[in-house]
Amino acid sequence: MNPQGTQTITFDDKIVRYFLLAMIFWAAAALSAGLLAALQLAYWPLNMNLEWITFGRLRPLHTNAAIFAFAGNAIFAGIYHSSQRLLKARMFNDILSKLHFWGWQAIILAAAITLPLGYSQAKEYAELEWPLDIAITVVWVIFAVNFFGTIARRRERHLYVALWFYIATIVTVAVLHIVNSIEIPVSLTQSYPVWVGIQDALIQWWYGHNAVAFFLTTPFLGLMYYYVPKAANRPVYSYRLSIIHFWALVFIYIWAGPHHLLYTSMPDWAQTVGMVFSIMLWAPSWGGMINGLLTLRGAWHLLRTEPVIKFFVAAITFYGMATFEGPLLSIKSVSALGHYTDWIVGHVHGGALGWNGMLSFGMAYFLVPQLWKTDRLSKKWMEWHFWLALLGVILYYVSMVSAGITQGLMWQALNPEGKLVYPDFVETVMRIVPLYWVRAFAGLLYLSGFVLMVVNIVRAIRHQPVQDGTIQVAATVSRSPNEDAGHRRLEGLATIFTVLTLIAVAVASMISIFPILNLKQYVSYEKTVEPWSPLELAGRDIYVKEGCYVCHSQQIRQLPFDVLRFGAASTIEESMWDRPFQWGSKRTGPDLARVGKKYPHLWHYRHMIDPRAVTEKSIMPAYPWLVAKDTDFIGLRKKLSVLKSLGTPYPDDTVANADIVAQKEAAVIARELEAQGAPQGLEKKEIVALIAYLQALGQKATPNAGERP
Amino acid sequence: MSSQDNDQLTDHEYDGIREYDNPLPNWWLMTFFGTVIFAFIYWLHYEVGGGPSLKAELNQAMLALQAHKQQAVVKELSEADLETMLKDPQMAAAGALAFTGKCAACHGPELQGGIGPNLTDAFWLHGKGTREDIMHTIQKGVPDKGMPPWESMLSQNEILSLTALIVSKQDTNPAGAKPPQGEKVR
């Protein structure tokens, strides 16, 4: 049937349909969780006194759903669809595709169950506990084998630029995930990272920043390079620019993580490296924007008639904004104002809702009529979706940047006497609560637009037959690279291309992380700090479980107004036993690094049960269940022994009797609480362990402790 | 449709996608080189050339603040001024406002005590309930016992107004008063 010497290939588009529908399903979850979280900050009663959905547990659920479920499935849909066409080959193995799909959904489902239950490592975007970390690794490897297997079977000599970005994504995410997740299990649901203190901070933000780079940027650039020229039917603006900005991104991105840690106790050199590499990222990022937007030259009229193009143009524009703002925020003096505030929240949502969201929606509208035999997508509804989404992002961004700058300025303000103008932290919170309402409304707009998309797509594909793409290819294709030179030759050598990418990423990672692996170089043992006592450790694990780090930092920066407000700047030694580190990235509430002994036990007791009982205007959730739940004393033996094996100097008998030691500590605090007027019999309760931890914060440094351990 | 018609297409074609062979925009290249040069100089300055460390910058800023504070003219109030101000009902009223926001969580809205001691009775933990004693406790706090120091947060005047309030509330016997703590002084 085929003409002489050709064969017909049918693409596996079923898996693309699966990923696309999964993307829509999880986007609904991610956006709804985000809206609820936004409302909780505007109106605290919406925490509903339900531990599973208090803000501290809901925010990780929202971020993980947005990144790994929504964006993740969007990436997979686009990669499976475009790669088959760019490589002129069906996916390597249908079973691997299915394993990838169902494995990934199972992980998301498990995340949706475990995060509300409080099984969390309290490291941003890496909260999932160790069994899920392993599962992610396995599924990622399946994906990689499937992808590279397809490349190996390609009937196209060269790899198109979109595929370069996919390769960088797959390789780098694997490295990031594995290194950041090296941890020792304590139980099925808990683990401690091997990294400690500043190591953990550096590696976490190397991971966190590059999760944005290689999960939310490079794969989406790949999608852009396929879908924008396809939808506009225009050639890509500049092949040379593709080459330069691809390699520049791969080389430079990896170094920039410490810009999340400016002015902290992270050694200065790391901060300088983070800042200068962030600044150098500006042009390479804009290379992608230029190539995206200028591809549309000569097709601008489509902007009026084609909603898909509208989505793409908006997405690329938001990408340009976010990648200009990122370097800006990495400048130390700008970070001094913006860090810990809602400005950063505005920044990431410009990226997530604007760039990732809009591109995914545009792609979905582009794909539906190809994957199903349908012409029933309503353009009018798409238009409405577009304008609601655009208005939503803009309103979100403007409200949060205003909130961030307002609060940042209030934190800095000093009167002529050199005192803080707003010493009361809640006062600076109350000022921005109206903007929290605006933000929630913006989220509602964005979500409404999304609902229109769901209805539109469901109506378009219901009862419609599916269709799988096919293509005719020559039975044999020459893939000899010998006729090419320079980069063009490299584009034919997939393995070498991949290895070079890996080297670029790995070398940069090694250089920027390696020095910190030897902590002795940075910790001054004269100022060494005692490890957490068994009860304090139990309290710390409650702090981790409840996700207090999403609202509280534990890192007083080397900035005068931070020092005036919270006390002496945090030191490296003070987090030298911290697994995980809990420096946080957002101050919705005050810094807690030195909150120990600031208040009596009873204050904390009342505050945790109902923050409004002591701070009338507080927006912090209430934690009444801490008074009802018992502390897990027995588990402490295992916890201490794991930490000891990692290097925390606990004496052997403390490890062996951890539960008894902790119970004694608890009895003392419970008695003090009772003397101050709290009810009797609290010694077994979680609240006592948490109070022990809070009262120890900033109290552990023993100056001149002498001997190196 | 003029400019791009002159552009050279490469001979690449992938699933119908073509690529132009346009050069890198100059302004883009300049931006890139500019940031690289800036990065290099910045790094040289701070990491090689002995630019100030963050710690040194912080110390500098704190010293500057200190010097600034000493310059700020704080009007020395005479003993007599202080005494009249203490009796001024407007002072006590201002104090009541500050007390609700900052102290009531621990000392109760009527000063009857709660987490902290009753401030209306004749029993005092620190000093004898004189103006100086009260002002001193408010300024320095009792950090180990959970009474925060307020001198960095409140102005001299505010602390005086709070003192005026406390003095004015002596022996008011509010409902639900906390049992006495400390020494009886009256």
Side-chain angles (χ1 to χ4, degrees):
Chain A
M1 252 179 284
N2 285 326
Q4 196 72 68
T6 68
Q7 66 186 93
T8 305
I9 300 175
T10 307
F11 295 131
D12 182 4
D13 281 347
K14 185 171 166 193
I15 200 72
V16 182
R17 282 188 291 273
Y18 274 37
F19 275 120
L20 193 71
L21 294 177
M23 163 196 125
I24 295 173
F25 179 78
W26 292 118
L31 295 176
S32 315
L35 181 59
L36 179 56
L39 285 165
Q40 288 177 341
L41 288 186
Y43 185 62
W44 63 266
L46 285 173
N47 286 288
M48 297 184 248
N49 281 357
L50 292 175
E51 55 178 303
W52 309 283
I53 57 154
T54 43
F55 187 78
R57 298 196 195 177
L58 185 65
R59 196 196 93 134
L61 185 69
H62 161 63
T63 53
N64 280 280
I67 300 173
F68 300 109
F70 171 25
N73 279 303
I75 295 165
F76 299 141
I79 290 183
Y80 274 88
H81 177 258
S82 60
S83 300
Q84 298 186 72
R85 283 152 176 88
L86 290 167
L87 296 165
K88 294 208 175 85
R90 188 181 168 91
M91 284 315 292
F92 175 58
N93 184 311
D94 287 3
I95 296 178
L96 289 184
S97 302
K98 287 206 179 78
L99 282 174
H100 176 194
F101 177 81
W102 289 111
W104 196 256
Q105 311 316 317
I107 291 168
I108 299 171
L109 194 65
I113 296 168
T114 56
L115 289 175
L117 288 175
Y119 303 135
S120 162
Q121 301 194 44
K123 292 173 55 158
E124 281 179 72
Y125 328 126
E127 282 93 349
L128 299 182
E129 265 301 347
W130 66 271
L132 292 177
D133 279 343
I134 294 177
I136 291 170
T137 313
V138 172
V139 172
W140 200 259
V141 168
I142 291 174
F143 171 40
V145 171
N146 206 13
F147 177 82
F148 287 110
T150 316
I151 287 193
R153 293 203 322 194
R154 71 188 185 278
R155 292 183 190 75
E156 183 80 77
R157 195 158 87 209
H158 300 102
L159 301 181
Y160 175 60
V161 47
L163 295 161
W164 313 347
F165 280 102
Y166 300 161
I167 290 174
T169 302
I170 294 174
V171 169
T172 315
V173 169
V175 174
L176 294 169
H177 171 69
I178 291 172
V179 174
N180 191 44
S181 305
I182 305 180
E183 59 228 7
I184 309 291
V186 174
S187 67
L188 193 62
T189 54
Q190 203 205 345
S191 61
Y192 291 121
V194 297
W195 315 119
V196 68
I198 53 170
Q199 284 172 348
D200 199 34
L202 187 70
I203 290 174
Q204 159 62 24
W205 283 113
W206 163 81
Y207 164 89
H209 169 71
N210 288 301
V212 174
F214 289 90
F215 208 89
L216 299 177
T217 305
T218 53
F220 281 88
L221 282 170
L223 301 180
M224 175 192 90
Y225 272 112
Y226 182 78
Y227 291 103
V228 170
K230 269 279 173 196
N233 201 13
R234 298 285 315 162
V236 171
Y237 171 67
S238 169
Y239 163 64
R240 277 184 258 171
L241 185 56
S242 302
I243 297 175
I244 301 292
H245 100 96
F246 171 76
W247 287 108
L249 278 183
V250 168
F251 271 104
I252 298 177
Y253 240 125
I254 283 287
W255 302 83
H259 67 208
H260 291 260
L261 301 166
L262 298 181
Y263 291 107
T264 64
S265 48
M266 186 60 60
D268 282 16
W269 65 264
Q271 302 189 30
T272 305
V273 167
M275 167 173 159
V276 299
F277 275 89
S278 307
I279 288 178
M280 289 191 281
L281 264 178
W282 174 24
S285 305
W286 270 25
M289 173 186 73
I290 295 169
N291 243 354
L293 287 180
L294 293 190
T295 294
L296 293 165
R297 288 176 321 159
W300 287 113
H301 58 279
L302 293 177
L303 200 51
R304 254 175 291 130
T305 52
E306 292 304 319
V308 169
I309 299 286
K310 279 199 175 95
F311 276 103
F312 287 162
V313 168
I316 299 170
T317 309
F318 277 111
Y319 174 63
M321 278 175 51
T323 52
F324 171 71
E325 194 184 27
L328 181 75
L329 281 165
S330 307
I331 297 173
K332 280 194 195 144
S333 45
V334 182
S335 168
L337 172 67
H339 190 46
Y340 292 138
T341 74
D342 284 300
W343 187 353
I344 310 301
V345 180
H347 170 64
V348 298
H349 283 84
L353 301 176
W355 162 239
N356 303 119
M358 297 285 220
L359 199 85
S360 304
F361 299 149
M363 183 182 83
Y365 286 130
F366 178 83
L367 281 178
V368 162
Q370 302 207 1
L371 299 172
W372 284 268
K373 272 205 191 67
T374 177
D375 52 5
R376 291 187 358 211
L377 270 182
S378 156
K379 270 198 185 175
K380 204 161 116 200
W381 282 50
M382 285 156 75
E383 287 281 335
W384 270 100
H385 176 193
F386 174 77
W387 289 110
L388 282 170
L390 185 67
L391 198 64
V393 190
I394 293 176
L395 204 57
Y396 192 113
Y397 180 76
V398 171
S399 60
M400 284 301 92
V401 173
S402 321
I405 294 179
T406 304
Q407 201 180 24
L409 289 174
M410 290 175 86
W411 291 345
Q412 291 188 357
L414 299 181
N415 67 15
E417 278 181 61
K419 288 183 179 174
L420 296 167
V421 178
Y422 305 98
D424 228 353
F425 192 90
V426 246
E427 201 181 333
T428 73
V429 178
M430 278 155 58
R431 184 70 70 86
I432 60 172
V433 165
L435 290 165
Y436 282 161
W437 282 108
V438 176
R439 183 257 300 269
F441 177 67
L444 182 66
L445 288 181
Y446 196 87
L447 180 63
S448 322
F450 171 78
V451 170
L452 293 184
M453 167 169 134
V454 175
V455 176
N456 199 359
I457 290 183
V458 168
R459 280 205 320 205
I461 66 177
R462 214 172 34 178
H463 309 312
Q464 298 302 103
V466 298
Q467 56 185 4
D468 294 346
T470 59
I471 109 173
Q472 297 248 321
V473 291
T476 52
V477 183
S478 153
R479 279 178 24 199
S480 157
N482 295 331
E483 298 150 42
D484 305 310
H487 199 270
R488 194 68 183 146
R489 190 179 155 96
L490 187 59
E491 290 160 32
L493 301 167
T495 314
I496 298 184
F497 192 101
T498 307
V499 171
L500 284 180
T501 313
L502 178 63
I503 290 176
V505 170
V507 168
S509 304
M510 299 270 268
I511 300 176
S512 56
I513 291 176
F514 189 73
I516 221 117
L517 295 184
N518 180 9
L519 257 190
K520 293 216 171 74
Q521 202 180 327
Y522 296 102
V523 173
S524 119
Y525 283 92
E526 284 68 50
K527 288 193 261 162
T528 189
V529 163
E530 259 180 65
W532 304 108
S533 76
L535 186 66
E536 289 157 11
L537 184 72
R540 191 170 202 275
D541 286 344
I542 294 166
Y543 186 95
V544 162
K545 178 178 182 187
E546 297 300 346
C548 310
Y549 70 99
V550 307
C551 285
H552 290 287
S553 60
Q554 287 187 18
Q555 178 63 228
I556 304 169
R557 292 173 298 171
Q558 303 175 57
L559 287 167
F561 52 89
D562 253 35
V563 171
L564 285 178
R565 185 178 296 275
F566 300 118
S570 295
T571 64
I572 294 182
E573 289 80 12
E574 281 169 316
S575 43
M576 69 189 281
W577 307 122
D578 283 4
R579 290 190 163 91
F581 83 114
Q582 287 290 281
W583 295 2
S585 64
K586 177 72 177 62
R587 280 183 187 154
T588 300
D591 189 278
L592 297 182
R594 303 203 182 284
V595 82
K597 298 225 175 135
K598 179 176 171 188
Y599 301 113
H601 298 334
L602 186 63
W603 188 95
H604 288 294
Y605 174 80
R606 291 206 189 147
H607 185 249
M608 292 315 299
I609 296 174
D610 176 15
R612 264 66 51 191
V614 289
T615 313
E616 198 190 341
K617 302 287 183 192
S618 181
I619 63 168
M620 176 166 144
Y623 292 87
W625 55 90
L626 296 177
V627 186
K629 287 195 180 183
D630 287 343
T631 305
D632 172 18
F633 286 108
I634 280 295
L636 283 170
R637 291 188 197 175
K638 184 72 195 289
K639 290 181 185 179
L640 263 77
S641 78
V642 168
L643 288 175
K644 189 177 164 84
S645 73
L646 286 169
T648 313
Y650 287 117
D652 283 329
D653 58 331
T654 308
V655 175
N657 301 311
D659 48 331
I660 299 168
V661 177
Q663 275 161 342
K664 281 191 189 138
E665 293 179 73
V668 172
I669 293 182
R671 260 203 310 280
E672 288 169 356
L673 266 171
E674 202 189 315
Q676 291 167 8
Q680 266 188 323
L682 290 170
E683 55 277 346
K684 284 204 176 67
K685 302 301 174 191
E686 287 193 338
I687 185 100
V688 167
L690 183 62
I691 290 176
Y693 173 61
L694 292 173
Q695 295 290 31
L697 281 167
Q699 302 291 317
K700 284 288 180 180
T702 48
N704 311 320
E707 295 302 294
R708 282 166 172 261
Chain B
M1 292 246 165
S2 55
S3 73
Q4 64 266 27
D5 288 342
N6 304 329
D7 295 348
Q8 286 293 316
L9 274 171
T10 59
D11 60 358
H12 316 164
E13 199 248 278
Y14 305 90
D15 191 29
I17 300 176
R18 308 288 313 266
E19 293 175 293
Y20 283 123
D21 197 24
N22 283 318
L24 310 174
N26 267 330
W27 65 268
W28 180 84
L29 265 179
M30 289 305 128
T31 312
F32 192 24
F33 291 147
T35 57
V36 172
I37 292 167
F38 170 84
F40 189 65
I41 295 174
Y42 186 94
W43 180 79
L44 268 187
H45 174 61
Y46 280 100
E47 300 305 319
V48 182
S53 68
L54 289 175
K55 201 170 184 176
E57 282 180 354
L58 174 65
N59 289 342
Q60 195 79 42
M62 293 309 287
L63 283 178
L65 267 180
Q66 207 68 39
H68 199 67
K69 218 183 265 176
Q70 275 156 10
Q71 270 175 14
V73 270
V74 185
K75 204 176 112 220
E76 279 296 329
L77 292 170
S78 72
E79 195 59 17
D81 284 349
L82 284 174
E83 281 304 322
T84 21
M85 284 173 85
L86 202 62
K87 305 261 151 60
D88 182 351
Q90 267 180 341
M91 277 306 262
L97 220 58
F99 195 91
T100 311
K102 304 225 155 41
C103 324
C106 289
H107 292 287
E110 295 302 324
L111 288 64
Q112 76 273 27
I115 294 170
N118 177 353
L119 298 178
T120 64
D121 60 12
F123 293 81
W124 289 89
L125 288 159
H126 302 280
K128 299 196 168 352
T130 64
R131 185 196 81 223
E132 277 124 340
D133 293 337
I134 296 175
M135 283 183 78
H136 184 264
T137 309
I138 299 176
Q139 275 162 345
K140 304 288 172 201
V142 194
D144 277 352
K145 295 282 164 61
M147 162 68 187
W150 294 94
E151 62 182 345
S152 67
M153 305 215 184
L154 301 176
S155 68
Q156 169 91 0
N157 226 12
E158 282 173 301
I159 291 179
L160 194 62
S161 71
L162 283 163
T163 311
L165 172 78
I166 294 173
V167 169
S168 76
K169 292 279 182 181
Q170 292 309 296
D171 303 321
T172 46
N173 291 325
K178 201 177 177 193
Q181 287 167 278
E183 305 270 314
K184 188 165 168 52
V185 297
R186 290 194 293 273

